[in-house]
Amino acid sequence: MRKDKLLMIIGSLLLLLLFVFPLWKITLLAPQYPEPLGLNIHITHLSDGNQFNDVNNIDLLNHYIGMAHLPTDINVKKGEVEPFKEFVIIPIVVVVLTILGIIFGFIGNRKLYATWIGLLGISGIVGMYDFYNWLYIYGHVLNPNAILKITDKVTGEMMAYQPPIFGFKQMLNFQVYSYPSTGVYFIGLSFVLVVFAFMYARKIN
């Protein structure tokens, strides 16, 4: 098999690892928690980031200050939050991109390689915007009957608690860190392999 075809197929298959590894990780540090709390964000669910029960502990903290419940299976079953539609849409996008990548790889056309790269790029941009919007809603749409209500000294409204999409942010006594996790690096590797496939195909065609 031609090298470009092989790179295209392997690159697209790497996306399937997103069903195993998390895309993003949010970590919370505070004096009252000797061990940091961590939230892993996968394409299908949320998982504990550092220790057992992290997701539930973060969910309780969020609800205490008026944030909506996290879209865990338990919260959805209880009717406390709507199912997170992205946990359905994103896996479909990943599978479609993988299948297209395999098909394009067997065809071996560099224009199709470029099309796949463009689709991956668009999916990534849309995904990041959706992630930012999700964080914004969770941080700004607060329950006015929350147990702990801290108001902004300037506006008099409830303080927002939007976590950073990337980097560090101080929220009350919590240090919040938000960074890509393993899944994003596999997306990057997938992108690089397909770019090499495109470049190699251009040389031999």
Side-chain angles (χ1 to χ4, degrees):
M1 180 178 285
R2 268 176 20 204
K3 185 180 294 185
D4 63 296
K5 291 186 174 184
L6 189 60
L7 288 172
M8 179 70 228
I9 293 171
I10 293 175
S12 58
L13 285 173
L14 282 176
L15 293 184
L16 295 179
L17 292 174
L18 297 180
F19 286 95
V20 179
F21 298 98
L23 276 175
W24 217 264
K25 182 175 182 179
I26 297 177
T27 303
L28 290 79
L29 288 80
Q32 65 267 42
Y33 289 96
E35 295 293 332
L37 299 177
L39 177 69
N40 285 328
I41 302 174
H42 300 252
I43 63 171
T44 57
H45 65 285
L46 305 174
S47 70
D48 298 328
N50 294 316
Q51 52 188 321
F52 175 73
N53 217 36
D54 272 357
V55 175
N56 288 334
N57 286 331
I58 292 173
D59 191 42
L60 289 173
L61 287 170
N62 290 349
H63 198 61
Y64 187 72
I65 57 177
M67 298 173 72
H69 282 292
L70 293 172
T72 61
D73 290 339
I74 294 176
N75 287 337
V76 171
K77 289 178 181 178
K78 289 181 179 179
E80 294 177 339
V81 66
E82 292 294 321
F84 195 46
K85 63 182 184 300
E86 283 81 355
F87 286 162
V88 176
I89 296 173
I90 296 177
I92 293 174
V93 171
V94 170
V95 170
V96 169
L97 282 173
T98 301
I99 293 173
L100 284 176
I102 293 172
I103 294 173
F104 292 172
F106 279 110
I107 294 173
N109 185 294
R110 67 175 182 266
K111 291 183 179 179
L112 294 179
Y113 297 170
T115 299
W116 192 91
I117 292 170
L119 291 173
L120 181 65
I122 292 171
S123 299
I125 292 170
V126 172
M128 290 303 296
Y129 171 78
D130 185 73
F131 182 39
Y132 172 82
N133 191 54
W134 182 59
L135 293 176
Y136 181 89
I137 291 173
Y138 264 81
H140 287 80
V141 181
L142 304 174
N143 182 356
N145 299 316
I147 297 173
L148 178 62
K149 291 183 287 187
I150 300 178
T151 57
D152 189 293
K153 296 180 180 179
V154 178
T155 64
E157 298 178 352
M158 290 183 67
M159 184 181 294
Y161 303 100
Q162 181 182 356
I165 191 170
F166 182 87
F168 165 78
K169 186 176 183 179
Q170 186 74 36
M171 295 170 60
L172 299 179
N173 64 327
F174 280 91
Q175 297 176 16
V176 183
Y177 298 86
S178 178
Y179 290 105
S181 193
T182 311
V184 170
Y185 299 121
F186 280 118
I187 294 175
L189 180 58
S190 174
F191 177 83
V192 169
L193 289 180
V194 177
V195 168
F196 278 129
F198 173 80
M199 295 172 62
Y200 189 76
R202 183 170 56 186
K203 291 180 181 179
I204 64 177
N205 288 332

